[in-house]
Amino acid sequence: PCPRPSGGTTAVAPHSMFNSAYEVGGPVCAVKTVEEMTQVRMDHYLEIDFTGFARLVDALGGVTVTTDEDIADEDSHLRLKAGTHHLDGTQALGLARTRHGIGDGSDLGRIGLQQKLVKALLEQIASQDLLTDPARLYRVADAVTAGLTTDTGLDSLAELTRLGQSLQGLSASGVRTVMMPVVRAPSDPNRVVAEEPEAGKLWASLR
């Protein structure tokens, strides 16, 4: 159960898709659901909308990514040949949203592309020494604040800048991206559920 923005609480909803937690209860319900599933404490919450993400990429001068296959997704309006590309904000947003143009067309393929983008952003940040230049970091944070939703601990430019500075020394090569191990849901072949005990081992490693 989660508090509703308009008051009251939602009913317990087992066997629901994860994104329904966000739909019915916003960030608070999404965080509570993650904590319940994983027993991992969420210290902060930061959400960036589509416009904010594109502005972030543009403020960094674009990102360089390598795709393993051609991408042609009519929904995200992105067409890329397999290979290395330097993307502006609009193109990077298209890559983040791409699903139907790769693999089996599922959300799992999109997650893989988004993880590549996270690493590409880290590489771009490191190449510009952004985290050691407080004035420039402040300007980048200011450029994207209109597209951000955060918890109260990160609700100012000063706090966002401090968060960025705390990442000094974090390189793309030092970041390992993972996905929750999943299997097809017994009740619906179009859905997945956590694969145990592998998922439990992942949560334990994070705790």
Side-chain angles (χ1 to χ4, degrees), residues 13-205:
H15 310 300
S16 299
M17 291 180 62
F18 175 79
N19 55 2
S20 65
Y22 185 93
E23 291 171 3
V24 301
V28 171
C29 195
V31 168
K32 286 192 65 176
T33 302
V34 170
E35 291 182 333
E36 179 67 23
M37 287 176 63
T38 66
Q39 300 303 302
V40 175
R41 163 71 179 169
M42 299 289 109
D43 295 309
H44 291 292
Y45 177 89
L46 192 151
E47 169 191 332
I48 187 166
D49 65 17
F50 289 157
T51 301
F53 178 78
R55 285 178 178 167
L56 172 62
V57 173
D58 284 336
L60 292 173
V63 292
T64 300
V65 297
T66 300
T67 58
D68 300 323
E69 57 184 294
D70 294 346
I71 296 175
D73 190 329
E74 297 300 327
D75 291 335
S76 67
H77 308 294
L78 183 68
R79 291 184 176 273
L80 288 177
K81 290 291 185 181
T84 300
H85 305 273
H86 191 75
L87 308 180
D88 63 18
T90 299
Q91 293 169 316
L93 177 58
L95 187 64
R97 299 180 63 195
T98 290
R99 182 178 92 178
H100 300 296
I102 57 166
D104 62 3
S106 73
D107 280 321
L108 300 182
R110 175 157 56 190
I111 291 170
L113 288 177
Q114 291 172 347
Q115 290 176 335
K116 282 189 175 185
L117 274 171
V118 168
K119 286 203 165 191
L121 284 168
L122 286 173
E123 288 172 351
Q124 187 70 4
I125 288 169
S127 71
Q128 300 180 10
D129 295 324
L130 181 65
L131 301 181
T132 59
D133 184 344
R136 185 149 190 269
L137 178 60
Y138 190 91
R139 289 195 297 272
V140 170
D142 187 44
V144 300
T145 48
L148 293 180
T149 300
T150 71
D151 64 86
T152 54
L154 295 174
D155 61 355
S156 72
L157 268 176
E159 291 295 339
L160 288 172
T161 302
R162 275 194 285 271
L163 173 64
Q165 290 173 320
S166 74
L167 301 177
Q168 286 185 36
L170 180 64
S171 64
S173 62
V175 173
R176 179 186 175 194
T177 56
V178 297
M179 282 189 268
M180 180 178 76
V182 296
V183 293
R184 290 192 181 278
S187 59
D188 187 342
N190 295 313
R191 300 285 179 261
V192 293
V193 294
E195 181 179 16
E196 297 295 356
E198 286 78 6
K201 292 177 181 177
L202 175 59
W203 309 143
S205 73

